[in-house]
Amino acid sequence: MVNILFVCLGNICRSPMAEAILRQKVSASGLEEQIHIESAGTGHWHVGNPPHEGTLDILAENDIDSSGMKARQVIEDDLEQFDIVVAMDAENLGHLHTLKKPDQEVEITRLLDYAEDADENDVPDPFFTGNFDEVYAMIDSACNTLLEEVKEEWL
């Protein structure tokens, strides 16, 4: 089983969107018994809350299930439990590296490292910008490449 964790700031916009998108891609590939996906936030403000309305709307528009999703905060143990931890931006990436112990073998990456045509390094936060459509397109594209790499390198 390959365990993947997406991380953003509050776990209500970008990381749950990525979780839902990749879950659908994994299911469509018949790999749900081999790949486990979750999301978390570096901050605690939204713990226990469902994803942002904008995230829920864009997922629904694209027929992607978001049921049962609740925000949670990333913890040190996540870096033991997950094989790949994917940050949405440089700030989240830096936070994850401060949690990582030297002996941990977890792969910590940034989502847009998987985006072949990305003009940016960071997925912008639609909580502040309102650009859920743009963020959805970025995440969807990067998740295609991420899934292909997981299939090639981990399965």
Side-chain angles (χ1 to χ4, degrees):
M1 176 74 72
V2 179
N3 296 298
I4 301 171
L5 179 68
F6 290 105
V7 178
C8 69
L9 185 60
N11 193 216
I12 60 168
C13 293
R14 297 170 291 173
S15 59
M17 188 184 300
E19 176 186 353
I21 289 169
L22 189 58
R23 278 186 181 177
Q24 182 188 51
K25 292 177 185 305
V26 165
S27 179
S29 298
L31 298 171
E32 55 267 32
E33 297 297 321
Q34 296 173 281
I35 302 173
H36 173 77
I37 306 142
E38 291 184 27
S39 64
T42 57
H44 65 279
W45 314 280
H46 302 290
V47 170
N49 293 337
H52 186 281
E53 184 178 311
T55 295
L56 294 174
D57 289 347
I58 194 76
L59 292 173
E61 286 173 26
N62 289 280
D63 296 320
I64 298 176
D65 182 34
S66 61
S67 60
M69 297 178 84
K70 298 277 185 221
R72 73 173 185 87
Q73 189 171 11
V74 67
I75 57 173
E76 285 183 15
D77 283 350
D78 287 330
L79 301 182
E80 291 289 336
Q81 304 301 319
F82 290 88
D83 302 297
I84 305 168
V85 179
V86 184
M88 295 296 137
D89 61 36
E91 183 179 340
N92 306 139
L93 186 69
H95 182 88
L96 291 166
H97 282 293
T98 65
L99 292 178
K100 185 177 184 281
K101 296 179 180 125
D103 62 336
Q104 290 176 317
E105 296 182 20
V106 62
E107 182 178 313
I108 300 174
T109 65
R110 195 167 13 186
L111 183 63
L112 292 187
D113 291 345
Y114 300 99
E116 297 170 6
D117 298 330
D119 294 332
E120 303 175 50
N121 293 319
D122 295 337
V123 177
D125 192 342
F127 184 85
F128 300 107
T129 63
N131 61 341
F132 287 91
D133 291 327
E134 176 189 357
V135 167
Y136 176 88
M138 295 170 99
I139 291 173
D140 184 57
S141 175
C143 280
N144 286 330
T145 305
L146 172 58
L147 180 56
E148 288 307 310
E149 286 192 22
V150 168
K151 290 188 320 192
E152 290 173 13
E153 298 174 20
W154 293 82
L155 301 180

